Amino acid sequence: MPDSPRSLDEPKGFSRRSFIKTVGVSATVSTLSGIAEAAAIEHERAEETPVLGPGPVPIRFTVNGKAAQVKVEPSTTLLEALRLHLNMTGSKLICDRGSCGGCSVIIDGKIMNACMTLAIDAMGAKITTVEGLAKDGQLDPVQVSFVRHDALQCGYCTPGFVVATRVLLNDIPKPTLDQIKHALGGNICRCGTYTNIFNAALEASGQSPIMDQKGVTA
Amino acid sequence: MKIDTAPTLNGTSSIPFDMPTTNRPMNLGQSMNDNASRLDGIAKVTGAAKYSSDMLLPGAVFIRFVRCPFGAANLESVDDSAARKVPGVLDIDIQMKECQYNGQPVGHVVGDSPAAAARALAALKLTWKRLPVKTLITDSITKAPEPTEETKKLMAGAALSHDAVYSTPVQTHSSLEPHGGVVDHKGDKATVYASTQGTFSVRDGMGDVLGLKASEFEVICEYVGGGFGSKLGGPGKELTLAAKISKKLNRPAYLVCNRAEEHLDTGNRPSSRTVIRLAFEKDGTITGGEIRTFGGVGVAGGGGGVAIPSGRYNLGNVDKKHEDVKFNAGGPRPFRAPGHPQATFAEELMLDEIAAKAGINPLELRRKLFKDDVYKEMLEVGSKLIGWKDRKANGSQTSVMRTGFGIGAGGWGSASPGGNAEVVIHQDGSVESRTGTQDIGTGQRTTMAICTADSIGIPLSLVTVQIGRSTLPPGPGSGGSVTSPTTAPTMMAAAADAKAKLFEVLAKEAGANAADFSVKDGAVLRGGKQFLTWKDACSKLTADGVKGSASTGDGGKGASQGVQFVRIDVDTETGVIYPRHVIAIQSCGRVICRKTAESQIIGGVIQGLSFGLFENRILDRNVGAMVNPNFEFYKILGPNDMPHIEPVLWWHGQTGVKALGEPPSVPTAAALGCALFNAIGRPVRHMPLTPDKVLMAWEGAVA
């Protein structure tokens, strides 16, 4: 198995091509009709790049500030690499097709579904999972607000929502309620904690929670 | 006031237990604890909480069911030669049989990784002969049954009458943590990590499969990722198979369903069809009639009941008959208030249609028909909060966006099957509450701590809780909203017992009567005067501390009631419904933890909205396979669909802890249906209330 340092340190140019390579270049050419030229270039590049897979290949990335390495097949998702190979089970496997947000992680500053990302595509990336949000023993303000506003019930969707809220506040420090709803729109909670999640996001960004109507007492 | 702090994260950071939130001023009654946050909150927001599906043990094998891809088919041949050659495959077993629903298991494959099991599954060559399928209630019940002669006579002689059919689709539980878990059989002992609503029902169902006595294995479910009724009733086929494989291969066996399997074969809320024929007078007085209900139970023998008439309204003399209808689909399991949301949809929309025919405001009609004064009081409060005075007459608006208001009511009887609890007061002043009952997200862990702290009179920070283990004192399954009504009084009694034992120790040492002692605000008093701090008092104990225990038996606790108001906007060009505001008033007896109680209500409303607007298990009518076994096309209400929801805890001098889990999910979809009728002037009697149905009704309205 080739284990070239060049390919390991070159995440961007490496991932897609090598993955396609593992599936088989001929299959790629036959399915992507009308791009024979691109396929030829692809083939040429594949010639120069060491073949990785289909067996396990070493993949290095940074998870929560620490260097991590897994040896997995190129078809392994980042979520499986985290859960099964690094035993970081905070990110959850719920829908396995990017429709619930339960596996949300931060890859190089962007929120991604770990179930829809191949581990090999995250090669060399800086990954933050829910386990990495608390720093030096201090909870992230988002986490404190989630607890205070009871923005969780069974808690299975919670890591995804916490991560998504963190990314939102990184991008928009004081989001409106509509911006919060939009940013969390890729996440699903079955217990029904959205109201409290909105309040937690508002509070964590230094804003007032949604107020109830006043003037009538039960 | 001393800040009560939660257990620390890595020993350095702490967040206060005492975390007031000020945004719900309407809940003016007194809960046992207004400000406490969930005890397991930190574990859940940091990813530290280990669910059964997170138990990826070293050396584990991974199991997948082999399932029928059609609604009905005969498995005619199996070629597993390629599957057996897949690297990492450890076991394949397939039974030739005739299947009656999509997702029915015919066997399993086992691999040493999830990928190996998945590849083996893909490499199996199975030949199926498809059989004819039925997929809906209406495949068997092709038209509404004829009314009885008596009903015909009643309707003919009445001033007004109502004759209509209502229906609701199959709703799947869609717990985010799938069914299953991990079994680690070690020969003479075993550990079962179960995702269950009944720790002790799993224990009772596991012994034979494991070949062990109950004392030789432990069932653990520290955290459960939702259940809503579908994880009741023992180990289920998932843990049963995992136990067999773990025993056979002598390795930990991991079996957790995927999302498609969850939709197909882990229960659902059965579909319903309700035929209503009622006679009524011009003032809205309902004289009676008949109601025929049908429950779509798939391949199950029953469980499709539709709880109409609910008994909340005076409907005169109603002749009710129910029939369960079978077809080719996975069977139902209890789902948060079984039989109620679907029945309430029919009942409430029927009332609004009757009100419209009689020319009465729906609020007025309910004032007249409610039997119980509690509901009437809730009507008055809720109608003010939602702004009912702004409601326009049905179908009277002319703008593209039209506003609608709706009302729904729900009730739930509380019960207590009995349970056991222990409380240990340690020498260092810490207190441990122990009961085996699980926390499925309701807040059981937190309420047990609050009950203990409140019963003894100490700060919450001194209490730790052990739950979700079969080796702890047995408690009830989390079904029927019985958990808190059972475990709260039991835990309080156990705490009182432990406190009494502490007083005996203090009395002996001080040469006093145990009855002279009391605890207030974390200090021990003697004769009403400060005697010792709590810590100093506990230091008089031996290293074992003192253990209090309590058991409670069966008991009813009376009913919980709720009324909800919904305001929506409807876009008459697209048919899209936008829920804007929900007022959810709910009685539940004494509130233990305000925040988790509010969360139960908000969650019930959200599930009700999701049921009313989106959810629908759709089966292909030709092959009987589910066409939307996922979360893209089986739509669940998401953040973007959210209205403003206000939970109102109704604390009118009620004592005792009553049901809260189920009742708030009952009225919402019904109130939504009523609001739509109000907005567009035509009823949509068949859920989910999707844009196509809204537009069809709308075109009828303007035609």
Side-chain angles (χ1 to χ4, degrees):
Chain A
M1 187 59 53
D3 184 1
S4 152
R6 179 171 160 261
S7 65
L8 292 177
D9 294 334
E10 197 188 49
K12 296 289 181 283
F14 164 82
S15 55
R16 183 65 57 198
R17 196 165 64 240
S18 299
F19 172 59
I20 290 169
K21 180 75 181 165
T22 66
V23 176
V25 171
S26 59
T28 314
V29 171
S30 67
T31 50
L32 305 177
S33 59
I35 51 162
E37 194 182 342
I41 295 168
E42 188 76 10
H43 188 79
E44 202 172 289
R45 282 187 187 161
E47 293 284 299
E48 335 170 328
T49 313
V51 177
L52 296 184
V57 296
I59 297 170
R60 292 182 205 139
F61 34 56
T62 308
V63 182
N64 301 330
K66 287 182 190 151
Q69 178 171 331
V70 291
K71 202 172 176 189
V72 296
E73 292 176 15
S75 61
T76 306
T77 63
L78 176 60
L79 182 61
E80 190 176 324
L82 289 169
R83 287 177 57 84
L84 194 57
H85 299 273
L86 296 171
N87 200 25
M88 300 182 71
T89 55
S91 312
K92 303 299 185 210
L93 175 63
I94 298 172
C95 72
D96 206 13
R97 48 201 289 171
S99 53
C100 77
C103 60
S104 299
V105 296
I106 309 171
I107 302 180
D108 291 334
K110 290 201 169 64
I111 186 159
M112 301 287 276
N113 288 315
C115 77
M116 299 289 281
T117 308
L118 293 173
I120 203 165
D121 278 345
M123 178 118 50
K126 285 193 174 65
I127 300 162
T128 305
T129 70
V130 70
E131 289 98 334
L133 291 181
K135 297 234 166 53
D136 305 321
Q138 294 294 322
L139 294 174
D140 188 291
V142 169
Q143 292 172 315
V144 175
S145 294
F146 264 64
V147 177
R148 177 199 290 273
H149 284 281
D150 205 40
L152 52 122
Q153 290 189 38
C154 84
Y156 212 69
C157 73
T158 308
F161 271 102
V162 168
V163 169
T165 307
R166 178 70 268 157
V167 174
L168 163 66
L169 300 191
N170 290 348
D171 293 347
I172 309 173
K174 282 200 189 299
T176 63
L177 181 58
D178 279 346
Q179 286 173 322
I180 293 169
K181 288 181 177 180
H182 183 74
L184 303 180
N187 294 60
I188 292 176
C189 166
R190 186 47 155 171
C191 297
T193 59
Y194 303 128
T195 301
N196 292 343
I197 290 172
F198 301 158
N199 285 329
L202 287 167
E203 187 188 81
S205 54
Q207 307 182 78
S208 300
I210 312 160
M211 295 300 289
D212 288 349
Q213 286 195 343
K214 284 180 180 168
V216 181
T217 54
Chain B
M1 186 187 160
K2 183 179 164 290
I3 295 283
D4 219 353
T5 55
T8 59
L9 176 77
N10 301 334
T12 51
S13 112
S14 62
I15 61 168
F17 262 144
D18 190 41
M19 298 171 85
T21 52
T22 54
N23 57 319
R24 301 215 172 90
M26 285 184 306
N27 297 330
L28 294 178
Q30 196 179 11
S31 73
M32 284 164 67
N33 197 320
D34 275 359
N35 299 331
S37 295
R38 233 169 250 265
L39 254 68
D40 48 14
I42 295 178
K44 287 178 175 175
V45 298
T46 56
K50 287 278 182 188
Y51 297 75
S52 300
S53 54
D54 294 332
M55 292 298 166
L56 294 153
L57 306 177
V61 300
F62 295 83
I63 309 167
R64 292 284 301 273
F65 279 111
V66 180
R67 295 179 185 271
C68 176
F70 304 114
N74 201 1
L75 180 54
E76 292 193 321
S77 76
V78 176
D79 174 4
D80 62 4
S81 55
R84 286 189 184 277
K85 286 185 193 125
V86 170
V89 167
L90 301 168
D91 190 35
I92 296 176
D93 185 15
I94 295 167
Q95 308 291 320
M96 308 294 288
K97 67 175 168 187
E98 188 182 309
C99 290
Q100 287 302 317
Y101 66 95
N102 179 205
Q104 185 174 351
V106 291
H108 65 261
V109 299
V110 184
D112 64 4
S113 70
R119 281 172 192 149
L121 206 55
L124 284 172
K125 291 191 181 70
L126 307 183
T127 316
W128 296 91
K129 185 180 179 353
R130 282 205 287 118
L131 303 168
V133 292
K134 287 183 174 181
T135 59
L136 295 164
I137 292 175
T138 45
D139 286 350
S140 300
I141 311 297
T142 49
K143 57 177 189 169
E146 279 295 304
T148 62
E149 287 307 313
E150 206 172 321
T151 305
K152 279 182 191 163
K153 210 182 292 173
L154 184 70
M155 305 263 284
L160 293 162
S161 64
H162 186 61
D163 186 345
V165 180
Y166 301 84
S167 74
T168 63
V170 168
Q171 179 190 27
T172 67
H173 296 76
S174 296
S175 317
L176 294 194
E177 182 184 32
H179 288 65
V182 183
V183 179
D184 188 6
H185 201 302
K186 292 195 184 308
D188 56 352
K189 59 180 179 167
T191 308
V192 178
Y193 301 95
S195 185
T196 180
Q197 295 176 240
T199 310
F200 295 92
S201 67
V202 172
R203 181 196 67 181
D204 295 344
M206 268 316 227
D208 287 347
V209 194
L210 292 167
L212 296 171
K213 286 183 272 198
S215 59
E216 293 169 332
F217 68 94
E218 186 175 27
V219 179
I220 299 176
C221 54
E222 289 261 6
Y223 300 94
V224 183
F228 314 108
S230 66
K231 291 175 183 171
L232 289 164
K237 63 186 77 161
E238 298 87 8
L239 284 170
T240 303
L241 178 59
K244 284 179 187 159
I245 299 296
S246 181
K247 193 179 175 191
K248 181 176 172 184
L249 300 178
N250 204 24
R251 290 167 71 172
Y254 184 98
L255 198 171
V256 174
C257 292
N258 66 21
R259 188 50 48 194
E261 293 174 294
E262 286 293 295
H263 281 299
L264 294 172
D265 195 28
T266 61
N268 53 63
R269 183 188 298 287
S271 54
S272 75
R273 198 165 177 83
T274 300
V275 182
I276 292 174
R277 295 189 180 102
L278 289 179
F280 55 100
E281 292 166 14
K282 283 177 181 163
D283 67 353
T285 304
I286 298 174
T287 45
E290 67 177 42
I291 295 179
R292 299 281 175 266
T293 58
F294 303 90
V297 296
V299 294
V306 185
I308 181 173
S310 65
R312 291 185 283 278
Y313 297 105
N314 281 310
L315 299 183
N317 190 14
V318 174
D319 173 30
K320 158 79 188 273
K321 282 196 181 70
H322 175 76
E323 192 181 316
D324 281 333
V325 180
K326 285 191 171 198
F327 46 78
N328 297 98
R333 289 186 194 168
F335 190 164
R336 204 168 185 176
H340 284 254
Q342 54 267 54
T344 305
F345 174 73
E347 188 172 75
E348 299 287 350
L349 186 51
M350 163 202 94
L351 285 178
D352 272 27
E353 292 188 58
I354 286 174
K357 284 181 186 172
I360 302 170
N361 189 306
L363 185 69
E364 197 54 49
L365 183 71
R366 283 173 177 79
R367 281 190 188 120
K368 180 184 171 71
L369 297 181
F370 266 134
K371 292 177 184 168
D372 191 328
D373 284 344
V374 177
Y375 289 112
K376 293 181 189 172
E377 291 167 30
M378 290 175 171
L379 276 183
E380 303 314 313
V381 171
S383 59
K384 287 190 186 109
L385 288 170
I386 198 76
W388 188 266
K389 63 177 175 10
D390 297 330
R391 176 187 179 273
K392 306 280 195 302
N394 279 1
S396 66
Q397 297 164 71
T398 53
S399 55
V400 171
M401 289 292 270
R402 305 195 174 188
T403 302
F405 290 78
I407 310 171
W412 193 258
S414 266
S416 161
N420 307 276
E422 287 174 3
V423 170
V424 182
I425 302 175
H426 292 291
Q427 204 177 22
D428 64 357
S430 66
V431 177
E432 198 182 317
S433 310
R434 311 172 78 227
T435 178
T437 300
Q438 54 292 322
D439 187 338
I440 60 168
T442 51
Q444 168 72 2
R445 193 179 260 109
T446 312
T447 54
M448 290 300 91
I450 292 173
C451 287
T452 305
D454 189 80
S455 178
I456 298 178
I458 53 172
L460 196 55
S461 55
L462 292 173
V463 184
T464 56
V465 180
Q466 285 195 51
I467 59 166
R469 281 173 187 265
S470 64
T471 44
L472 294 167
S478 302
S481 300
V482 304
T483 312
S484 287
T486 303
T487 55
T490 315
M491 188 55 78
M492 293 192 78
D497 186 39
K499 181 165 75 168
K501 284 176 177 160
L502 169 68
F503 290 166
E504 280 169 28
V505 173
L506 296 178
K508 202 169 173 188
E509 190 178 293
N513 272 331
D516 292 346
F517 294 97
S518 60
V519 179
K520 199 180 175 200
D521 297 334
V524 178
L525 313 182
R526 181 179 167 188
K529 285 179 189 151
Q530 175 89 19
F531 177 61
L532 286 171
T533 65
W534 174 255
K535 276 205 158 181
D536 289 344
C538 293
S539 69
K540 313 278 184 198
L541 296 171
T542 63
D544 291 343
V546 283
K547 184 161 87 176
S549 57
S551 296
T552 50
D554 292 357
K557 297 272 175 160
S560 300
Q561 303 89 357
V563 172
Q564 294 181 10
F565 287 78
V566 172
R567 176 168 61 81
I568 62 168
D569 286 335
V570 183
D571 186 331
T572 52
E573 289 182 345
T574 63
V576 174
I577 299 172
Y578 299 93
R580 301 297 190 198
H581 197 178
V582 180
I583 300 291
I585 304 175
Q586 189 63 50
S587 77
C588 58
R590 190 176 188 193
V591 177
I592 303 169
C593 176
R594 180 181 62 87
K595 290 184 190 176
T596 56
E598 288 170 350
S599 287
Q600 280 296 303
I601 298 173
I602 294 168
V605 168
I606 290 174
Q607 284 190 355
L609 290 172
S610 188
F611 182 43
L613 289 172
F614 304 121
E615 295 183 47
N616 191 2
R617 182 193 70 185
I618 303 167
L619 302 177
D620 182 289
R621 288 183 195 179
N622 294 312
V623 298
M626 183 173 174
V627 300
N628 56 341
N630 48 49
F631 280 157
E632 301 97 274
F633 301 106
Y634 186 94
K635 162 87 174 140
I636 285 173
L637 187 128
N640 279 313
D641 311 310
M642 275 288 291
H644 180 45
I645 300 172
E646 293 180 49
V648 181
L649 289 161
W650 188 266
W651 287 337
H652 271 205
Q654 300 180 57
T655 57
V657 177
K658 292 192 209 169
L660 182 57
E662 278 158 307
S665 70
V666 175
T668 322
L672 195 70
C674 293
L676 178 61
F677 178 40
N678 175 223
I680 65 171
R682 280 281 174 102
V684 178
R685 294 173 181 148
H686 305 282
M687 279 182 24
L689 306 174
T690 46
D692 55 327
K693 290 180 199 155
V694 173
L695 288 180
M696 277 197 285
W698 169 242
E699 280 166 16
V702 293

